[in-house]
Amino acid sequence: MMEGGIEIIAGPCSAESREEVLSSAAALKALGVETFRAGLWKPRTSPSSFEGVGAEGLPWLMEVRDTLGMRVATEVASPDHVKACLAAGLDLVWLGARTTANPFLVQEIADSLAGSEGVTVMVKNPVNPELELWAGAIERLRGAGLTDIVAAHRGSSSLEKLRYTTKPFWQIPVQLRGRFPGLRMLCDPSHIAGDATLVPEVAQKALDLGFDGLMVEVHPDPEKALSDSSQQLSPRDFEAMAASLKVRKAGSTDAAFNERLCALRAHIDEIDDSLVSLLADRMAASREIGELKKSGGVAIVQSSRWEEVLSSALALGRSRGLPEDLVRDLFTLLHEASISVQ
Ligand code: PEP
Ligand code: MN
């Protein structure tokens, strides 16, 4: 727990060995972290990546619990995982982003958790940016009679090349909180950022938005980590981040106003990030067209094509209520820039 009642879960992306688990837990315990995370079953994109040690690591987590007095947490992605975690006595299990995207699996996991006592269930947002899918997973868990539920925001995938590896879509957790008043919301800045140097700014944004806590990936030697190596903090970097974070939530008389303003600014920042990514893609496509035209001996400017581009942009803009001058000026600038790269 940090100042202001901010809850912190920290630990390596994956449990790799007993040594790695115990040494990272001891370092985090010394920094005041109460809940230790480590993934045992890792849902990896490529079958040739490290897929976790599985149930073999459960005793390591229980050793952390018994010797350091920390709460221990891992990801579950099937009823078998749930069964193993409940039998071992874990304190928290979470549904990962790929699991939350699959309602059949969420239902099976909810059913296998039914009747369990003393286990917190955390639900990450799905990999795709859908509020309803995230909300539906929470409803399935509630429907199974579970009451100790936490949501965790980790952004969603995007084809755009953005500042972070995921697109945060901050408006989605803000809407989720509106949907489930009182639901505890954590943020996972590690999976949003995808880069250790960017984790602190994402964590600060989450606190400014009124999140109740953070789940952060911390590895004793990030460069050697078997998964998510680029985004894991060393214990020393985690300590520096924790010392620098400012909790603006507690004590502020106009916290709601500040959170709303921060949410709107975060939304604008995401749009600007996308705009720049789209501009870069558009310029790259123009450059390719230029090369193709050159190889085919065709002139750079074809005025009929430009008229077509402009009139369809104007029509789209009109349908979205945009001022005509804005669209015309913007597309004229884009057209000039395209000609100059060609
Ligand atoms: C994780 O927390 O290690 C993880 C796999 O997260 P996500 O499901 O958000 O990708
Ligand atoms: Mn990870």
Side-chain angles (χ1 to χ4, degrees), residues 12-14 37 39 42-43 75 94-99 124-125 127 154 188 191 215 217 228 231:
C13 177
S14 303
R37 65 149 282 159
K42 300 302 300 178
E75 172 171 348
W94 78 81
L95 278 66
R98 291 154 195 81
T99 302
K124 289 195 159 193
N125 66 283
V127 267
R154 49 86 73 212
D188 171 347
H191 287 90
M215 173 153 96
E217 287 191 340
D228 287 348
Q231 73 195 27

Side-chain angles (χ1 to χ4, degrees), residues 57-126:
L58 280 167
W60 309 337
L61 291 182
M62 295 321 288
E63 196 174 337
V64 166
R65 189 181 203 275
D66 297 340
T67 60
L68 297 169
M70 297 174 91
R71 280 161 48 84
V72 287
T74 202
E75 172 171 348
V76 289
S78 76
D80 282 348
H81 298 166
V82 170
K83 217 163 117 194
C85 290
L86 293 180
L90 258 63
D91 302 285
L92 183 153
V93 293
W94 78 81
L95 278 66
R98 291 154 195 81
T99 302
T100 309
N102 180 341
F104 285 131
L105 204 46
V106 172
Q107 190 61 53
E108 285 182 19
I109 291 172
D111 294 342
S112 61
L113 280 163
S116 60
E117 268 170 37
V119 184
T120 304
V121 183
M122 184 162 79
V123 190
K124 289 195 159 193
N125 66 283

Side-chain angles (χ1 to χ4, degrees), residues 13 37 124 154 165-166 188-199 216-219 222 225 227-234:
C13 177
R37 65 149 282 159
K124 289 195 159 193
R154 49 86 73 212
T165 50
T166 65
D188 171 347
S190 308
H191 287 90
I192 290 181
D195 175 335
T197 62
L198 301 175
V199 169
V216 185
E217 287 191 340
V218 181
H219 190 281
S227 58
D228 287 348
S229 152
S230 59
Q231 73 195 27
Q232 302 208 57
L233 300 181
S234 64

